[in-house]
Amino acid sequence: MKKHWTLRLALAATALALSPAAQAQADERAFVKENMEFAAGQYRRMVADAPAGKAVMPHCLDARGRLVRVPVYSWTAGFFPGTLWYLADYLDDSVLADSARSYTLRMEPTKNYTGNHDVGFMMYCSYGNALRFGPQRDDEDVLTTSARTLCKRFDERVGAIKSWNSFRSWHGDSTYTYPVIIDNMMNLELLFHAARTTGDEDIRRVAVSHAEKTMRWQVRPDGSCFHVVYYDPATGAFIKGETAQGYADNSTWSRGQAWGIYGFTMVYRETGDKRFLETAQRMADFYVNHPALPSDGVAFWDFDAYRPGFVPGKRSGANRVVTDYRDASAAACTASALLELSTVAENGSAARYREAAVRILHSLASPAYRAGEGKNGNFILRHSVGSIPHGSEIDVPLTYADYYFVEALWRYDRLLAGKPLF
Ligand code: GLY
Protein backbone atom coordinates (compact mmCIF):
# COMPACT_ATOMS: atom_id res chain seq x y z
CA MET A 1 0.00 0.00 0.00
CA LYS A 2 2.78 2.38 1.07
CA LYS A 3 4.68 1.58 -2.11
CA HIS A 4 1.57 2.36 -4.16
CA TRP A 5 1.22 5.84 -2.61
CA THR A 6 4.91 6.53 -2.96
CA LEU A 7 4.65 5.78 -6.66
CA ARG A 8 1.59 8.02 -7.08
CA LEU A 9 3.33 10.87 -5.28
CA ALA A 10 6.39 10.43 -7.45
CA LEU A 11 4.26 10.51 -10.60
CA ALA A 12 2.38 13.58 -9.38
CA ALA A 13 5.66 15.33 -8.63
CA THR A 14 6.91 14.51 -12.12
CA ALA A 15 3.72 15.89 -13.62
CA LEU A 16 4.03 19.07 -11.57
CA ALA A 17 7.60 19.46 -12.69
CA LEU A 18 6.67 19.59 -16.38
CA SER A 19 6.49 23.00 -18.01
CA PRO A 20 3.20 23.75 -19.85
CA ALA A 21 4.94 23.17 -23.18
CA ALA A 22 6.38 19.85 -22.05
CA GLN A 23 3.03 18.81 -20.62
CA ALA A 24 1.31 19.69 -23.91
CA GLN A 25 3.88 17.66 -25.78
CA ALA A 26 3.41 14.70 -23.43
CA ASP A 27 -0.37 14.94 -23.83
CA GLU A 28 -0.07 14.96 -27.61
CA ARG A 29 2.25 11.97 -27.61
CA ALA A 30 -0.26 10.17 -25.39
CA PHE A 31 -2.98 11.12 -27.90
CA VAL A 32 -0.95 9.53 -30.72
CA LYS A 33 -0.25 6.43 -28.64
CA GLU A 34 -3.89 5.88 -27.76
CA ASN A 35 -4.87 6.17 -31.41
CA MET A 36 -2.09 3.91 -32.65
CA GLU A 37 -3.00 1.26 -30.07
CA PHE A 38 -6.65 1.50 -31.06
CA ALA A 39 -5.74 1.27 -34.75
CA ALA A 40 -3.53 -1.74 -34.13
CA GLY A 41 -6.39 -3.49 -32.33
CA GLN A 42 -8.67 -2.91 -35.30
CA TYR A 43 -6.08 -4.10 -37.83
CA ARG A 44 -5.09 -7.15 -35.79
CA ARG A 45 -8.73 -8.20 -35.91
CA MET A 46 -8.82 -7.59 -39.66
CA VAL A 47 -5.77 -9.79 -40.13
CA ALA A 48 -7.35 -12.49 -37.97
CA ASP A 49 -10.39 -12.49 -40.29
CA ALA A 50 -8.06 -12.73 -43.28
CA PRO A 51 -9.71 -13.76 -46.51
CA ALA A 52 -8.54 -16.53 -48.78
CA GLY A 53 -8.57 -16.37 -52.55
CA LYS A 54 -7.49 -13.84 -55.12
CA ALA A 55 -9.24 -10.74 -53.81
CA VAL A 56 -7.02 -10.52 -50.80
CA MET A 57 -6.77 -6.93 -49.66
CA PRO A 58 -9.38 -5.26 -47.48
CA HIS A 59 -10.69 -2.18 -49.26
CA CYS A 60 -13.95 -0.86 -47.76
CA LEU A 61 -17.36 -1.88 -46.46
CA ASP A 62 -20.27 -2.07 -48.85
CA ALA A 63 -23.62 -0.39 -48.20
CA ARG A 64 -24.70 -3.41 -46.12
CA GLY A 65 -21.58 -3.31 -43.99
CA ARG A 66 -19.84 -6.30 -45.58
CA LEU A 67 -16.10 -6.28 -46.17
CA VAL A 68 -15.12 -5.58 -49.78
CA ARG A 69 -11.74 -7.06 -50.77
CA VAL A 70 -9.79 -6.30 -53.87
CA PRO A 71 -7.14 -8.14 -55.92
CA VAL A 72 -3.53 -6.99 -55.77
CA TYR A 73 -4.00 -5.10 -59.06
CA SER A 74 -6.43 -2.65 -57.51
CA TRP A 75 -5.14 0.87 -56.90
CA THR A 76 -5.88 0.54 -53.18
CA ALA A 77 -4.14 -2.79 -52.61
CA GLY A 78 -0.97 -1.35 -51.07
CA PHE A 79 -2.67 0.57 -48.29
CA PHE A 80 -3.49 -2.36 -46.00
CA PRO A 81 0.10 -3.63 -45.78
CA GLY A 82 1.30 -0.03 -45.57
CA THR A 83 -0.84 0.68 -42.53
CA LEU A 84 0.40 -2.52 -40.91
CA TRP A 85 4.00 -1.34 -41.46
CA TYR A 86 3.40 2.02 -39.79
CA LEU A 87 1.66 0.38 -36.85
CA ALA A 88 4.37 -2.25 -36.51
CA ASP A 89 7.07 0.40 -36.50
CA TYR A 90 5.37 2.72 -34.05
CA LEU A 91 4.48 -0.08 -31.62
CA ASP A 92 7.68 -2.04 -32.25
CA ASP A 93 5.46 -5.08 -32.75
CA SER A 94 7.03 -8.03 -34.54
CA VAL A 95 3.73 -9.85 -35.02
CA LEU A 96 2.29 -6.85 -36.85
CA ALA A 97 5.53 -6.64 -38.86
CA ASP A 98 5.12 -10.29 -39.86
CA SER A 99 1.58 -9.55 -41.03
CA ALA A 100 2.81 -6.49 -42.90
CA ARG A 101 5.47 -8.57 -44.63
CA SER A 102 3.04 -11.33 -45.52
CA TYR A 103 0.57 -8.87 -47.11
CA THR A 104 3.41 -7.02 -48.81
CA LEU A 105 4.67 -10.21 -50.46
CA ARG A 106 1.26 -10.70 -52.06
CA MET A 107 1.86 -7.44 -53.95
CA GLU A 108 4.95 -8.74 -55.76
CA PRO A 109 3.24 -9.59 -59.12
CA THR A 110 1.96 -6.02 -59.30
CA LYS A 111 5.49 -4.82 -60.06
CA ASN A 112 4.80 -5.69 -63.72
CA TYR A 113 1.30 -4.24 -63.90
CA THR A 114 0.95 -1.66 -66.67
CA GLY A 115 -2.86 -1.33 -66.65
CA ASN A 116 -2.93 2.08 -64.95
CA HIS A 117 -0.75 4.70 -63.28
CA ASP A 118 -1.43 3.46 -59.74
CA VAL A 119 1.56 1.19 -59.38
CA GLY A 120 3.18 3.93 -57.29
CA PHE A 121 0.38 3.87 -54.73
CA MET A 122 0.32 0.10 -54.80
CA MET A 123 4.03 -0.64 -54.54
CA TYR A 124 5.39 2.31 -52.58
CA CYS A 125 2.82 2.00 -49.79
CA SER A 126 3.56 -1.73 -49.51
CA TYR A 127 7.17 -2.42 -50.59
CA GLY A 128 8.32 1.16 -49.97
CA ASN A 129 7.29 0.92 -46.33
CA ALA A 130 8.67 -2.62 -46.12
CA LEU A 131 12.04 -1.25 -47.17
CA ARG A 132 11.85 1.48 -44.53
CA PHE A 133 10.63 -0.58 -41.61
CA GLY A 134 11.67 -4.21 -42.20
CA PRO A 135 13.87 -4.45 -45.29
CA GLN A 136 14.55 -7.73 -47.03
CA ARG A 137 16.86 -8.54 -49.90
CA ASP A 138 14.43 -8.30 -52.81
CA ASP A 139 12.53 -5.17 -51.75
CA GLU A 140 14.71 -2.74 -53.66
CA ASP A 141 14.55 -4.83 -56.86
CA VAL A 142 10.77 -5.02 -56.67
CA LEU A 143 10.60 -1.23 -56.32
CA THR A 144 12.97 -0.67 -59.23
CA THR A 145 10.97 -2.99 -61.48
CA SER A 146 7.76 -1.25 -60.40
CA ALA A 147 9.23 2.15 -61.27
CA ARG A 148 10.32 0.96 -64.72
CA THR A 149 6.83 -0.47 -65.24
CA LEU A 150 5.25 2.89 -64.37
CA CYS A 151 7.60 4.71 -66.76
CA LYS A 152 6.11 2.69 -69.63
CA ARG A 153 3.04 4.90 -69.34
CA PHE A 154 5.09 8.04 -69.98
CA ASP A 155 4.96 9.57 -73.45
CA GLU A 156 7.72 11.92 -74.51
CA ARG A 157 5.42 14.06 -76.66
CA VAL A 158 3.03 14.68 -73.77
CA GLY A 159 5.67 14.81 -71.07
CA ALA A 160 3.33 13.16 -68.56
CA ILE A 161 2.34 9.69 -67.43
CA LYS A 162 -1.03 8.57 -68.80
CA SER A 163 -3.28 7.92 -65.81
CA TRP A 164 -6.08 5.91 -67.40
CA ASN A 165 -6.20 4.37 -70.84
CA SER A 166 -9.26 6.48 -71.70
CA PHE A 167 -12.05 8.40 -70.01
CA ARG A 168 -15.52 9.20 -71.28
CA SER A 169 -16.51 12.68 -70.17
CA TRP A 170 -19.53 12.93 -67.85
CA HIS A 171 -20.98 15.23 -70.51
CA GLY A 172 -21.17 12.19 -72.78
CA ASP A 173 -19.82 14.02 -75.79
CA SER A 174 -16.30 12.60 -76.03
CA THR A 175 -13.92 9.92 -74.90
CA TYR A 176 -10.40 11.12 -74.25
CA THR A 177 -7.40 8.89 -74.71
CA TYR A 178 -4.73 10.75 -72.71
CA PRO A 179 -6.32 11.62 -69.38
CA VAL A 180 -4.07 12.64 -66.50
CA ILE A 181 -5.49 12.95 -63.00
CA ILE A 182 -4.11 14.91 -60.08
CA ASP A 183 -3.86 11.65 -58.10
CA ASN A 184 -0.96 10.71 -60.37
CA MET A 185 1.31 13.06 -58.39
CA MET A 186 1.33 10.45 -55.63
CA ASN A 187 2.88 7.84 -57.90
CA LEU A 188 5.99 9.93 -58.44
CA GLU A 189 7.41 9.05 -55.02
CA LEU A 190 8.17 5.56 -56.29
CA LEU A 191 10.00 7.03 -59.29
CA PHE A 192 12.13 9.40 -57.23
CA HIS A 193 13.06 6.56 -54.93
CA ALA A 194 14.07 4.25 -57.77
CA ALA A 195 15.97 7.02 -59.53
CA ARG A 196 17.95 7.70 -56.37
CA THR A 197 18.83 4.09 -55.70
CA THR A 198 19.65 3.13 -59.30
CA GLY A 199 21.12 6.44 -60.42
CA ASP A 200 18.90 6.20 -63.49
CA GLU A 201 18.37 9.81 -64.59
CA ASP A 202 15.66 8.80 -67.05
CA ILE A 203 13.35 7.70 -64.24
CA ARG A 204 13.92 11.00 -62.46
CA ARG A 205 13.32 12.94 -65.68
CA VAL A 206 9.93 11.25 -66.09
CA ALA A 207 8.92 12.22 -62.54
CA VAL A 208 10.05 15.84 -62.87
CA SER A 209 8.44 16.24 -66.30
CA HIS A 210 5.15 14.88 -65.01
CA ALA A 211 5.21 17.20 -62.00
CA GLU A 212 6.01 20.22 -64.17
CA LYS A 213 3.27 19.45 -66.65
CA THR A 214 0.77 18.96 -63.83
CA MET A 215 1.86 22.19 -62.16
CA ARG A 216 1.40 24.04 -65.45
CA TRP A 217 -1.98 22.67 -66.55
CA GLN A 218 -3.74 20.98 -63.67
CA VAL A 219 -3.26 23.47 -60.82
CA ARG A 220 -5.39 26.59 -61.14
CA PRO A 221 -4.17 30.07 -60.23
CA ASP A 222 -6.15 30.06 -56.94
CA GLY A 223 -4.38 26.87 -55.80
CA SER A 224 -7.28 24.52 -56.54
CA CYS A 225 -6.98 21.88 -59.26
CA PHE A 226 -8.80 20.08 -62.01
CA HIS A 227 -9.28 16.43 -61.24
CA VAL A 228 -8.68 15.38 -64.85
CA VAL A 229 -6.82 17.04 -67.68
CA TYR A 230 -6.94 15.73 -71.23
CA TYR A 231 -3.92 16.01 -73.49
CA ASP A 232 -3.68 15.49 -77.23
CA PRO A 233 -1.59 12.32 -77.57
CA ALA A 234 -0.29 13.42 -80.98
CA THR A 235 1.05 16.80 -79.90
CA GLY A 236 1.00 16.79 -76.10
CA ALA A 237 -1.18 19.90 -76.15
CA PHE A 238 -3.59 20.59 -73.28
CA ILE A 239 -7.17 20.04 -74.45
CA LYS A 240 -9.18 20.83 -71.31
CA GLY A 241 -9.74 20.14 -67.65
CA GLU A 242 -12.79 18.28 -66.37
CA THR A 243 -13.69 16.06 -63.45
CA ALA A 244 -14.16 12.36 -62.90
CA GLN A 245 -14.74 12.11 -59.16
CA GLY A 246 -15.54 15.72 -58.31
CA TYR A 247 -18.83 17.59 -58.50
CA ALA A 248 -18.23 19.64 -61.65
CA ASP A 249 -15.43 20.42 -64.08
CA ASN A 250 -14.68 23.76 -62.41
CA SER A 251 -15.16 22.50 -58.83
CA THR A 252 -12.50 21.28 -56.44
CA TRP A 253 -12.72 17.63 -55.49
CA SER A 254 -11.38 17.46 -51.94
CA ARG A 255 -9.34 14.29 -52.26
CA GLY A 256 -7.82 15.57 -55.48
CA GLN A 257 -6.77 18.66 -53.56
CA ALA A 258 -5.23 16.42 -50.91
CA TRP A 259 -3.32 14.43 -53.54
CA GLY A 260 -1.96 17.69 -54.91
CA ILE A 261 -0.84 19.09 -51.54
CA TYR A 262 0.83 15.79 -50.66
CA GLY A 263 2.27 15.25 -54.13
CA PHE A 264 3.87 18.66 -54.59
CA THR A 265 5.23 18.64 -51.03
CA MET A 266 6.87 15.29 -51.77
CA VAL A 267 8.23 16.48 -55.14
CA TYR A 268 9.76 19.48 -53.38
CA ARG A 269 11.41 17.09 -50.90
CA GLU A 270 12.86 15.12 -53.80
CA THR A 271 13.96 18.03 -56.01
CA GLY A 272 14.54 21.05 -53.77
CA ASP A 273 12.86 23.07 -56.55
CA LYS A 274 11.08 26.03 -54.95
CA ARG A 275 8.40 26.13 -57.67
CA PHE A 276 7.03 22.88 -56.27
CA LEU A 277 7.07 24.22 -52.71
CA GLU A 278 5.20 27.32 -53.82
CA THR A 279 2.62 25.10 -55.55
CA ALA A 280 2.25 22.89 -52.50
CA GLN A 281 1.71 25.93 -50.28
CA ARG A 282 -0.79 27.48 -52.67
CA MET A 283 -2.75 24.22 -52.72
CA ALA A 284 -2.52 23.89 -48.94
CA ASP A 285 -3.72 27.46 -48.47
CA PHE A 286 -6.71 26.74 -50.68
CA TYR A 287 -7.73 23.86 -48.38
CA VAL A 288 -6.88 25.43 -45.04
CA ASN A 289 -8.37 28.89 -45.74
CA HIS A 290 -11.44 27.78 -47.67
CA PRO A 291 -14.63 29.42 -46.35
CA ALA A 292 -16.54 26.15 -46.89
CA LEU A 293 -14.11 24.13 -44.74
CA PRO A 294 -15.98 23.07 -41.59
CA SER A 295 -14.38 24.09 -38.28
CA ASP A 296 -13.25 20.51 -37.63
CA GLY A 297 -11.01 20.67 -40.73
CA VAL A 298 -12.67 17.67 -42.41
CA ALA A 299 -13.69 18.82 -45.87
CA PHE A 300 -16.90 18.02 -47.67
CA TRP A 301 -16.26 15.61 -50.55
CA ASP A 302 -16.07 18.57 -52.95
CA PHE A 303 -15.48 22.19 -51.94
CA ASP A 304 -18.05 23.43 -54.43
CA ALA A 305 -20.84 20.84 -54.45
CA TYR A 306 -24.32 22.36 -54.76
CA ARG A 307 -22.95 25.91 -55.06
CA PRO A 308 -24.19 28.26 -57.80
CA GLY A 309 -21.99 28.19 -60.87
CA PHE A 310 -21.07 24.51 -60.49
CA VAL A 311 -23.00 22.01 -62.60
CA PRO A 312 -22.26 18.27 -62.90
CA GLY A 313 -22.09 16.66 -66.34
CA LYS A 314 -25.41 15.08 -67.31
CA ARG A 315 -24.13 11.51 -66.86
CA SER A 316 -22.58 12.15 -63.46
CA GLY A 317 -24.01 10.45 -60.41
CA ALA A 318 -23.48 13.76 -58.59
CA ASN A 319 -26.85 14.77 -60.04
CA ARG A 320 -28.55 12.11 -57.95
CA VAL A 321 -26.90 12.65 -54.55
CA VAL A 322 -28.32 15.41 -52.39
CA THR A 323 -26.38 14.92 -49.16
CA ASP A 324 -23.19 16.92 -48.82
CA TYR A 325 -20.96 14.18 -47.41
CA ARG A 326 -17.65 14.70 -45.67
CA ASP A 327 -14.60 12.83 -46.89
CA ALA A 328 -12.39 11.62 -44.04
CA SER A 329 -9.89 10.23 -46.56
CA ALA A 330 -9.27 13.71 -48.02
CA ALA A 331 -8.78 15.11 -44.53
CA ALA A 332 -6.42 12.32 -43.44
CA CYS A 333 -4.24 12.68 -46.53
CA THR A 334 -4.22 16.46 -46.12
CA ALA A 335 -3.18 16.16 -42.46
CA SER A 336 -0.27 13.92 -43.37
CA ALA A 337 0.80 16.28 -46.16
CA LEU A 338 0.51 19.39 -43.99
CA LEU A 339 2.73 17.84 -41.34
CA GLU A 340 5.49 17.38 -43.88
CA LEU A 341 4.83 20.80 -45.39
CA SER A 342 5.12 22.36 -41.92
CA THR A 343 8.76 21.21 -41.82
CA VAL A 344 9.72 23.10 -45.00
CA ALA A 345 7.14 25.87 -45.45
CA GLU A 346 8.14 29.46 -46.10
CA ASN A 347 6.51 32.83 -45.46
CA GLY A 348 5.84 32.07 -41.80
CA SER A 349 3.25 29.40 -42.69
CA ALA A 350 4.78 26.42 -40.88
CA ALA A 351 2.86 26.80 -37.62
CA ARG A 352 -0.40 27.37 -39.49
CA TYR A 353 -0.03 24.12 -41.44
CA ARG A 354 0.91 22.16 -38.35
CA GLU A 355 -2.05 23.53 -36.40
CA ALA A 356 -4.40 22.69 -39.27
CA ALA A 357 -3.03 19.14 -39.41
CA VAL A 358 -3.38 18.66 -35.66
CA ARG A 359 -6.94 19.98 -35.75
CA ILE A 360 -7.80 17.42 -38.44
CA LEU A 361 -6.17 14.60 -36.50
CA HIS A 362 -8.08 15.42 -33.32
CA SER A 363 -11.33 15.61 -35.31
CA LEU A 364 -10.71 12.26 -37.01
CA ALA A 365 -9.82 10.71 -33.66
CA SER A 366 -13.10 11.88 -32.13
CA PRO A 367 -16.21 9.67 -32.06
CA ALA A 368 -17.57 11.71 -34.98
CA TYR A 369 -15.18 9.82 -37.30
CA ARG A 370 -13.29 7.15 -35.38
CA ALA A 371 -15.02 3.80 -35.16
CA GLY A 372 -16.04 2.10 -31.95
CA GLU A 373 -13.72 -0.70 -30.91
CA GLY A 374 -14.38 -3.83 -32.97
CA LYS A 375 -16.97 -1.92 -35.02
CA ASN A 376 -16.89 -0.56 -38.58
CA GLY A 377 -15.62 -3.88 -39.96
CA ASN A 378 -12.49 -3.09 -37.93
CA PHE A 379 -11.57 -0.17 -40.14
CA ILE A 380 -10.32 2.80 -38.13
CA LEU A 381 -12.25 5.70 -39.64
CA ARG A 382 -15.80 6.16 -40.84
CA HIS A 383 -17.24 8.70 -43.31
CA SER A 384 -15.16 8.60 -46.47
CA VAL A 385 -16.25 8.87 -50.06
CA GLY A 386 -14.91 6.85 -52.98
CA SER A 387 -16.72 8.41 -55.93
CA ILE A 388 -20.10 10.10 -55.87
CA PRO A 389 -20.18 10.61 -59.67
CA HIS A 390 -19.72 6.84 -60.08
CA GLY A 391 -22.24 6.15 -57.32
CA SER A 392 -19.73 4.05 -55.43
CA GLU A 393 -18.39 3.88 -51.88
CA ILE A 394 -20.37 6.74 -50.41
CA ASP A 395 -19.94 7.49 -46.69
CA VAL A 396 -18.01 4.32 -45.92
CA PRO A 397 -14.69 3.35 -44.33
CA LEU A 398 -11.80 3.08 -46.82
CA THR A 399 -8.33 1.63 -46.39
CA TYR A 400 -6.65 4.74 -47.69
CA ALA A 401 -8.38 6.97 -45.13
CA ASP A 402 -6.95 4.67 -42.45
CA TYR A 403 -3.53 4.62 -44.11
CA TYR A 404 -3.08 8.39 -44.22
CA PHE A 405 -4.55 8.80 -40.72
CA VAL A 406 -2.00 6.35 -39.31
CA GLU A 407 0.80 7.84 -41.40
CA ALA A 408 -0.12 11.32 -40.13
CA LEU A 409 -0.12 10.09 -36.52
CA TRP A 410 3.27 8.46 -37.09
CA ARG A 411 4.60 11.72 -38.57
CA TYR A 412 3.10 13.80 -35.76
CA ASP A 413 4.81 11.67 -33.15
CA ARG A 414 8.14 12.05 -34.93
CA LEU A 415 7.74 15.82 -34.97
CA LEU A 416 6.73 15.88 -31.30
CA ALA A 417 9.81 13.81 -30.48
CA GLY A 418 12.03 16.16 -32.51
CA LYS A 419 12.91 13.43 -35.02
CA PRO A 420 13.12 13.81 -38.82
CA LEU A 421 10.27 12.45 -40.93
CA PHE A 422 12.58 10.85 -43.52
N1 GLY B 1 -6.98 7.57 -56.87
C1 GLY B 1 -8.36 7.35 -56.89
C2 GLY B 1 -9.10 8.07 -55.83
O1 GLY B 1 -8.56 8.91 -55.14
O2 GLY B 1 -10.26 7.77 -55.66
Side-chain angles (χ1 to χ4, degrees):
M1 192 66 177
K2 184 160 175 270
K3 204 170 159 195
H4 178 68
W5 274 106
T6 313
L7 183 63
R8 286 183 69 162
L9 281 172
L11 286 173
T14 313
L16 282 175
L18 287 180
S19 69
Q23 186 60 53
Q25 190 215 31
D27 289 349
E28 287 301 277
R29 292 199 78 186
F31 161 79
V32 172
K33 185 162 186 280
E34 193 278 331
N35 275 284
M36 290 299 235
E37 281 170 351
F38 169 82
Q42 296 289 91
Y43 270 52
R44 281 191 197 103
R45 278 186 286 274
M46 249 205 254
V47 169
D49 296 344
K54 278 174 95 180
V56 289
M57 294 294 180
H59 167 71
C60 71
L61 295 184
D62 68 15
R64 290 165 61 186
R66 293 170 306 194
L67 179 65
V68 176
R69 303 159 185 144
V70 289
V72 294
Y73 301 107
S74 158
W75 82 272
T76 64
F79 293 118
F80 188 68
T83 302
L84 290 170
W85 279 121
Y86 273 117
L87 293 171
D89 180 69
Y90 177 85
L91 295 167
D92 195 18
D93 184 320
S94 62
V95 178
L96 277 172
D98 287 347
S99 300
R101 173 55 66 182
S102 130
Y103 277 91
T104 295
L105 289 173
R106 297 177 191 201
M107 296 298 297
E108 199 262 354
T110 308
K111 69 184 180 189
N112 296 314
Y113 183 67
T114 55
N116 62 33
H117 68 133
D118 289 317
V119 73
F121 275 115
M122 292 137 97
M123 302 310 278
Y124 208 66
C125 293
S126 54
Y127 272 91
N129 283 318
L131 189 67
R132 274 169 95 188
F133 298 129
Q136 286 188 0
R137 209 189 53 202
D138 292 339
D139 292 347
E140 201 70 87
D141 285 350
V142 171
L143 288 168
T144 302
T145 304
S146 305
R148 294 200 197 289
T149 298
L150 179 55
C151 286
K152 290 183 182 155
R153 295 185 66 85
F154 181 79
D155 185 290
E156 296 289 349
R157 280 165 304 186
V158 179
I161 296 163
K162 189 200 274 204
S163 297
W164 301 322
N165 295 339
S166 67
F167 181 70
R168 183 168 176 225
S169 163
W170 288 126
H171 303 287
D173 50 355
S174 290
T175 295
Y176 295 90
T177 56
Y178 214 105
V180 175
I181 62 174
I182 188 71
D183 323 29
N184 207 335
M185 289 297 299
M186 302 295 284
N187 293 303
L188 306 184
E189 195 165 10
L190 168 71
L191 300 187
F192 282 114
H193 173 84
R196 209 173 332 106
T197 54
T198 60
D200 186 337
E201 274 303 312
D202 267 352
I203 300 180
R204 186 181 167 80
R205 189 176 56 78
V206 166
V208 172
S209 172
H210 186 95
E212 284 175 335
K213 188 106 185 182
T214 304
M215 183 167 63
R216 168 79 179 83
W217 294 109
Q218 205 127 11
V219 182
R220 305 180 183 121
D222 67 355
S224 67
C225 61
F226 290 114
H227 180 205
V228 196
V229 159
Y230 309 127
Y231 294 107
D232 181 337
T235 64
F238 169 86
I239 300 174
K240 63 166 139 170
E242 288 196 348
T243 197
Q245 285 165 258
Y247 185 73
D249 296 342
N250 56 341
S251 75
T252 301
W253 175 49
S254 302
R255 194 163 59 254
Q257 193 68 17
W259 296 144
I261 301 167
Y262 193 116
F264 282 107
T265 303
M266 173 271 296
V267 174
Y268 174 64
R269 182 207 320 148
E270 294 289 353
T271 60
D273 184 332
K274 287 282 165 71
R275 294 173 305 155
F276 297 127
L277 177 61
E278 187 277 326
T279 305
Q281 289 201 213
R282 205 150 38 88
M283 296 194 79
D285 289 343
F286 181 92
Y287 186 109
V288 169
N289 299 334
H290 201 285
L293 182 69
S295 59
D296 66 4
V298 180
F300 293 100
W301 70 280
D302 189 298
F303 281 97
D304 302 303
Y306 315 110
R307 286 178 55 202
F310 298 89
V311 181
K314 62 176 192 270
R315 293 174 55 248
S316 169
N319 291 302
R320 293 183 289 280
V321 173
V322 291
T323 307
D324 204 0
Y325 291 101
R326 303 290 190 94
D327 183 6
S329 76
C333 179
T334 300
S336 187
L338 290 176
L339 286 172
E340 178 176 3
L341 192 55
S342 77
T343 65
V344 291
E346 295 184 339
N347 312 325
S349 298
R352 218 161 42 82
Y353 295 145
R354 180 159 162 164
E355 278 160 27
V358 172
R359 176 157 45 101
I360 293 171
L361 283 182
H362 278 269
S363 301
L364 293 178
S366 77
Y369 297 96
R370 202 178 90 170
E373 195 170 341
K375 302 272 177 16
N376 201 36
N378 290 309
F379 287 87
I380 304 161
L381 296 180
R382 307 182 294 142
H383 303 313
S384 289
V385 167
S387 180
I388 284 182
H390 294 87
S392 73
E393 300 161 4
I394 301 173
D395 198 25
V396 293
L398 289 164
T399 39
Y400 44 99
D402 288 1
Y403 175 86
Y404 290 105
F405 179 59
V406 168
E407 180 184 84
L409 289 166
W410 184 95
R411 288 180 170 189
Y412 187 32
D413 194 64
R414 300 278 298 186
L415 295 181
L416 287 164
K419 293 182 183 165
L421 295 186
F422 299 95

